[in-house]
Amino acid sequence: MKINFSLSLKLTLIILSTSVCIIVASTYITINEQTRFFENAYSEKATALAQALDAGIGSRNELEDKEKIHDYILKFIYTNKEDVLRISINLPESDELRVAVSSDSESEGFLSSQDNYISYEKDISISIPSHTGNFHTLTVITPLHISGQTIGTYEMLLSMDKAYGSLNTHLTNIITTSIILLFILIITSICLLRRIIVKPVTTFMDAANKIGEGKLDTKINIKSHDELGKLAKSFNKMASDLKKSKAETEKYDKMLEGLLDQREEFINQLGHDLKNPLTPIVGLLPIILGEIKDPDIKKHLQVVMNNVEYMRNLITKTLQLARLRSTDIEFDIETINLNEEVNNTLKTKNILLREKEIEVKNKVDEKIMVKADKLRFRELFENLVSNAIKYTPKGGETVTIDAKKEKKHVEVSVKDTGIGMNKRQIKRVFDEFYKADRSRHELESSGLGLSICKRIVEKHGGKIWVESKGLGKGSTFYFTLELSEMEK
């Protein structure tokens, strides 16, 4: 589930996480720095103690009196009992370094650690810190010098608990202070963010919503001299420009609406004026043609009749297209059986199909039901089938009708094996008065059939398109219709 956070909460979380990271990082750095400081200080103190031990041992012979050296070590530890926990003296014996004397008597005689060998051979001091729970110790190994020569090593175990106790108190104070400052920072930041960022953003959002509702008089009153102030000025200018544009648009819309009304009225009137005188001519010409015996006159009259029929068809198609453009037209949508309607349309084309010796294959599933205006669908399909027949050569050719169900619609196809189309023709085939084959007689087509098909499909909420592999390779027209509720 997606969780939406407010801008204020997001900014607060950013500040909180950043502050926590800073506190954790600063505390970590402080601990490391203090640890290094303590270790260095205790290492230096151990070196100084070793030098003090050196001063108390005058010669090698004194080291042979282990009881005396043992007492000397214990006394030395007692003097520095707050810091020194254990002291051991390591001396070479038969090419091996062993614990000769130690405040921990049980360790005497054992082999010394590898760090003692390194300190003895290289004449260097080595520090080994150890932190276990609340116990903090530092083992320091330093060379034992007699008369300027390294004859063994000191191994001192120092306690750093006192120093770390002070550090813990210091860190507790730092963390407590940081938490208090963190809360103060968050509260202050929230107040400032709400005033400086969140409130202006909310103002912009409310103003944008009002603009979206059409309240173009909305203004934003932010007078700061930063980016938000500049944005407010730009927003107010945009609102003002939108208001002007809306006024101009409404003005042009009214003008366009008037022009469209005039155009529709002109087309309807023109169609009416043209159809009226054509009607008696269309009715009389066949009668006259039947009475005329002269073949030349009869031939001329046939040309006249063909042209009159073409004019009537053109006027009918133009008026039909004009009505389809109108926003007032309403379709009578009902559930129809796609296969049945296809068959009904094909029956009206039987004579033409036989004349051109074209085979039609109806592959539409008999169970597919679609939502459509029955009369408009027949008009659409008749135009597409007529177009396929018109551009398919005579003899042995095929027109295939098929349908494929998608999620909420059906894709109907009308495929022919005719003259095909190139890319330019595909692009313009649905344009008004466009004829893909200019070589055909102009009276055979008005160039409006496919434009009408496009309008009918779009009025149904579908889309129409054509595909072709090229000239001479046939064409396939596709269109979509909404499936009925029982098919979804």
Side-chain angles (χ1 to χ4, degrees):
M1 184 177 68
K2 188 176 180 180
I3 301 174
N4 295 321
F5 294 100
S6 65
L7 178 60
S8 179
L9 181 58
K10 288 178 181 178
L11 293 173
T12 301
L13 290 174
I14 291 171
I15 293 170
L16 178 60
S17 57
T18 303
S19 302
V20 170
C21 290
I22 291 172
I23 290 172
V24 171
S26 61
T27 303
Y28 177 78
I29 293 170
T30 301
I31 291 173
N32 286 339
E33 290 296 326
Q34 290 289 336
T35 300
R36 281 194 292 270
F37 173 76
F38 291 148
E39 290 174 0
N40 292 335
Y42 277 92
S43 294
E44 292 173 1
K45 185 172 185 177
T47 302
L49 291 173
Q51 291 173 353
L53 285 169
D54 282 348
I57 301 172
S59 65
R60 287 174 179 263
N61 295 331
E62 292 184 18
L63 291 172
E64 295 178 0
D65 189 352
K66 293 184 179 181
E67 186 175 345
K68 182 179 178 180
I69 294 298
H70 189 271
D71 292 339
Y72 175 62
I73 291 173
L74 291 176
K75 185 178 179 181
F76 192 87
I77 292 174
Y78 182 79
T79 304
N80 301 277
K81 60 183 179 180
E82 290 186 355
D83 299 316
V84 182
L85 299 177
R86 185 179 71 239
I87 297 177
S88 298
I89 296 177
N90 302 274
L91 298 174
E93 182 181 326
S94 301
D95 296 330
E96 291 181 331
L97 202 62
R98 292 180 179 273
V99 180
V101 182
S102 176
S103 58
D104 179 12
S105 301
E106 294 182 357
S107 64
E108 292 179 357
F110 285 94
L111 288 173
S112 303
S113 65
Q114 187 64 32
D115 292 312
N116 279 281
Y117 279 96
I118 296 171
S119 176
Y120 173 68
E121 291 175 355
K122 295 186 178 181
D123 194 26
I124 60 173
S125 296
I126 298 175
S127 299
I128 306 168
S130 176
H131 306 282
T132 306
N134 294 325
F135 299 99
H136 308 276
T137 60
L138 181 68
T139 300
V140 180
I141 301 172
T142 61
L144 190 161
H145 297 106
I146 299 293
S147 301
Q149 292 183 348
T150 302
I151 63 168
T153 63
Y154 294 112
E155 183 176 324
M156 298 184 192
L157 181 64
L158 306 177
S159 172
M160 297 188 292
D161 290 342
K162 182 178 179 181
Y164 271 88
S166 175
L167 174 61
N168 289 336
T169 302
H170 179 62
L171 289 176
T172 301
N173 293 334
I174 290 176
I175 293 172
T176 303
T177 304
S178 299
I179 292 173
I180 294 171
L181 290 174
L182 178 62
F183 278 109
I184 294 173
L185 176 64
I186 291 173
I187 293 170
T188 305
S189 299
I190 291 173
C191 294
L192 290 174
L193 287 172
R194 288 187 65 83
R195 182 177 179 182
I196 298 173
I197 298 178
V198 177
K199 187 177 179 180
V201 169
T202 304
T203 301
F204 277 107
M205 184 174 66
D206 293 340
N209 289 335
K210 290 180 180 178
I211 292 290
E213 293 170 359
K215 300 175 182 178
L216 300 180
D217 291 323
T218 303
K219 299 292 181 183
I220 295 178
N221 187 22
I222 296 178
K223 297 182 179 180
S224 58
H225 298 288
D226 54 11
E227 288 80 359
L228 288 173
K230 294 177 181 178
L231 182 60
K233 289 181 180 178
S234 299
F235 187 94
N236 292 336
K237 185 177 184 304
M238 178 198 72
S240 179
D241 292 343
L242 282 174
K243 186 177 180 181
K244 292 179 182 177
S245 298
K246 183 182 179 182
E248 291 180 6
T249 302
E250 289 176 349
K251 177 182 176 182
Y252 288 121
D253 282 347
K254 289 181 179 179
M255 292 175 60
L256 182 59
E257 187 177 346
L259 289 173
L260 288 174
D261 290 341
Q262 291 177 21
R263 187 197 68 174
E264 296 297 331
E265 185 180 347
F266 171 75
I267 291 174
N268 289 328
Q269 186 61 44
L270 179 63
H272 182 268
D273 292 344
L274 289 173
K275 281 180 71 176
N276 283 345
L278 282 176
T279 301
I281 296 175
V282 171
L284 289 172
L285 280 175
I287 298 172
I288 297 172
L289 190 63
E291 297 293 330
I292 297 297
K293 303 299 181 182
D294 189 313
D296 290 333
I297 297 175
K298 198 167 188 174
K299 182 179 179 181
H300 291 310
L301 279 175
Q302 185 64 52
V303 171
V304 172
M305 192 168 70
N306 289 341
N307 279 275
V308 169
E309 187 62 35
Y310 170 75
M311 288 178 64
R312 187 178 70 164
N313 180 54
L314 181 62
I315 292 167
T316 302
K317 295 283 188 182
T318 302
L319 291 173
Q320 186 179 1
L321 189 61
R323 284 194 295 273
L324 287 170
R325 283 201 194 98
S326 174
T327 56
D328 296 330
I329 189 171
E330 293 184 2
F331 281 9
D332 184 15
I333 303 297
E334 59 182 305
T335 299
I336 62 173
N337 184 289
L338 185 60
N339 182 275
E340 289 181 6
E341 294 305 318
V342 170
N343 284 330
N344 290 336
T345 304
L346 292 176
K347 286 177 184 178
T348 64
K349 300 295 180 182
N350 277 338
I351 296 175
L352 186 58
L353 289 167
R354 284 199 297 269
E355 286 179 355
K356 295 199 69 175
E357 299 176 12
I358 295 174
E359 179 188 3
V360 177
K361 296 180 180 179
N362 181 4
K363 295 184 177 182
V364 178
D365 191 327
E366 295 179 357
K367 296 180 181 179
I368 295 179
M369 307 294 288
V370 296
K371 295 169 70 174
D373 182 309
K374 187 179 289 188
L375 293 178
R376 300 294 181 182
F377 175 80
R378 289 180 181 176
E379 185 178 358
L380 158 69
F381 204 73
E382 184 178 346
N383 278 338
L384 290 177
V385 172
S386 297
N387 187 78
I389 295 171
K390 185 186 304 178
Y391 294 106
T392 299
K394 181 179 180 179
E397 302 296 336
T398 305
V399 173
T400 305
I401 296 111
D402 203 353
K404 181 175 64 175
K405 286 199 294 186
E406 302 292 343
K407 289 182 178 180
K408 294 184 178 181
H409 67 270
V410 63
E411 183 181 283
V412 185
S413 62
V414 179
K415 181 180 181 181
D416 63 58
T417 54
I419 63 174
M421 284 184 277
N422 56 32
K423 291 182 179 180
R424 181 176 178 277
Q425 290 170 332
I426 289 174
K427 187 176 180 180
R428 296 194 56 197
V429 71
F430 295 105
D431 291 351
E432 296 171 11
F433 300 105
Y434 179 75
K435 299 179 183 180
D437 187 5
R438 291 292 179 180
S439 65
R440 296 179 66 85
H441 195 281
E442 291 297 325
L443 298 184
E444 293 183 18
S445 172
S446 64
L448 292 174
L450 292 177
S451 300
I452 290 172
C453 289
K454 184 172 184 292
R455 291 288 178 180
I456 292 174
V457 172
E458 289 175 348
K459 285 288 185 179
H460 278 86
K463 59 180 181 178
I464 186 170
W465 70 98
V466 63
E467 295 178 2
S468 176
K469 294 182 179 180
L471 296 175
K473 297 181 179 180
S475 304
T476 304
F477 283 83
Y478 298 89
F479 65 91
T480 61
L481 290 174
E482 185 180 356
L483 283 167
S484 69
E485 297 299 328
M486 64 182 72
E487 291 283 330
K488 293 181 181 177

